[in-house]
Amino acid sequence: MKRPVLLMIACMLLAFGVTQINAESARDQHVYHFGFKKSKDGQLPSINEEGFKPILEKHGAIFLGDTSQKEIYLTFDNGYENGYTAKILDTLRDKQVPSIFFVTGHYVKSQPELVKRMVSEGHLIGNHSWSHPDVTQISNTQLKDELLKVKNAVAEITSQKEMAFLRAPRGIFNEVMLESSRTEGYTNVFWSVAYKDWDINVQKGSEYAYTQVMNQLHPGAVILLHSVSKDNAEAMGQIIDGARKQGFVFKSLTELQKKVY
C-alpha cells in the first residue's frame, strides 16, 4: 500500500478516535438529580452535601434568593393540567401575589387560555422544555429546539415575547445543559422549598400541604409547587396568609435576577 494512502487511513482513524473520545466524554458527563437538605426551624437549606453547588454557581443557576431578606419566590411546574390552576390563579389574583409558571409544550397547546391568563394577570411564564425529556441525554441542538419551541409558542398567544427562566424536567441536569441553556439566555431555577406534591393519587389534604410548606420557610425561599395538586390549590390562600403573618414578602423572580446579576 502506498505511503499517502496509509497516511490518509491513519488520519481517518485518528479523527475517528478523537470523535469517539469526545462522544465518550459527553456520555460520561456526571448527571445530577437536584436535591437539598431541607430547612428546619427557620435555618437555611443546604446543597453543600450534594456535590453540585460549584457548577450551579459557575453557571448562575438559582437555588435560593437573598437570605438576608424575608422574601419568597413562588414557582409552579405545569407539565399538564389537572383542573386546579384556575383556582390557584384566583387566589394569587385576590391576594396580589406574583409567581412564575414553568410550562411544557403540552401545557401550552392544551391550555392556551390558562397560559394567556397567567401573563395577563402579571405572572411570568418559564420554560420547562417542549417534551419534558431528560435534558442531559439530548444534544445541545435538541435542547435549543426544545426551549425555542416553548418560547415561540408562548409568544404567539401572549404578550410575553422573551423567556428568561428555565427549570430542568424532574430536576435532572449536568454542566453541559447548564452551560448550553445559559448561552441561550436562560437562568436555571431550582428550589429550596418543596415536598412530594406531584402524585395526584396521594393527596393528603390542604392542612398537610400548608404544614409542609410552612415548616420549610426561610429567608430567600424559592418554593416549588405543582399545580396538579388539589392540596396545593386548597392550601394556597392559607400558605400566603401564614407566610405574610411571619413577615415574608412575595417577590417576582425578575427582582431576584437583578440581585443575582
Side-chain angles (χ1 to χ4, degrees), residues 154-171:
V154 171
E156 285 178 6
I157 62 173
T158 76
S159 61
Q160 182 180 306
K161 305 307 178 185
E162 299 299 326
M163 197 165 280
F165 300 102
L166 165 64
R167 175 160 285 153
R170 299 183 295 279

Side-chain angles (χ1 to χ4, degrees), residues 59-73:
H59 297 287
I62 292 172
F63 150 60
L64 43 69
D66 185 348
T67 58
S68 69
Q69 303 294 324
K70 296 194 78 172
E71 298 174 348
I72 295 176
Y73 302 87

Side-chain angles (χ1 to χ4, degrees), residues 66-138:
D66 185 348
T67 58
S68 69
Q69 303 294 324
K70 296 194 78 172
E71 298 174 348
I72 295 176
Y73 302 87
L74 189 59
T75 77
F76 291 91
D77 280 6
N78 290 68
Y80 67 97
E81 180 54 38
N82 195 34
Y84 301 113
T85 304
K87 181 177 177 63
I88 290 171
L89 284 169
D90 289 345
T91 303
L92 298 179
R93 178 200 60 207
D94 294 345
K95 296 188 178 293
Q96 293 295 292
V97 172
S99 184
I100 182 169
F101 293 86
F102 290 94
V103 301
T104 60
H106 170 78
Y107 197 89
V108 179
K109 289 192 300 180
S110 65
Q111 302 296 329
E113 294 307 313
L114 282 174
V115 174
K116 291 177 186 178
R117 183 181 171 188
M118 291 168 187
V119 174
S120 68
E121 294 184 359
H123 304 293
L124 296 172
I125 303 293
N127 208 317
H128 202 36
S129 78
W130 185 259
S131 61
H132 208 261
D134 177 345
V135 290
T136 68
Q137 300 301 310
I138 61 177

Side-chain angles (χ1 to χ4, degrees), residues 135 137-149 176-177 180-181 184:
V135 290
Q137 300 301 310
I138 61 177
S139 69
N140 288 346
T141 299
Q142 289 172 310
L143 175 61
K144 181 178 180 179
D145 183 61
E146 285 275 336
L147 302 182
L148 186 60
K149 287 171 71 175
V176 169
M177 71 76 54
S180 179
S181 57
E184 295 301 317

Side-chain angles (χ1 to χ4, degrees), residues 46-60:
S46 173
I47 57 173
N48 294 329
E49 302 82 2
E50 306 298 333
F52 49 68
K53 184 176 181 180
I55 68 168
L56 293 189
E57 293 177 341
K58 176 181 176 182
H59 297 287

Side-chain angles (χ1 to χ4, degrees), residues 181-240:
S181 57
R182 195 178 190 191
T183 299
E184 295 301 317
Y186 285 91
T187 297
N188 281 271
V189 181
F190 293 95
W191 54 88
S192 62
V193 173
Y195 77 101
K196 187 178 179 180
D197 61 345
W198 61 88
D199 190 340
I200 61 175
N201 296 313
V202 187
Q203 297 292 294
K204 300 182 179 181
S206 61
E207 193 63 33
Y208 177 80
Y210 171 78
T211 300
Q212 288 297 309
V213 174
M214 296 302 293
N215 283 351
Q216 297 181 61
L217 284 188
H218 60 84
V222 177
I223 303 175
L224 162 62
L225 295 174
H226 289 80
S227 60
V228 295
S229 167
K230 179 182 178 181
D231 292 351
N232 286 339
E234 294 180 347
M236 199 71 258
Q238 188 182 5
I239 290 170
I240 293 169

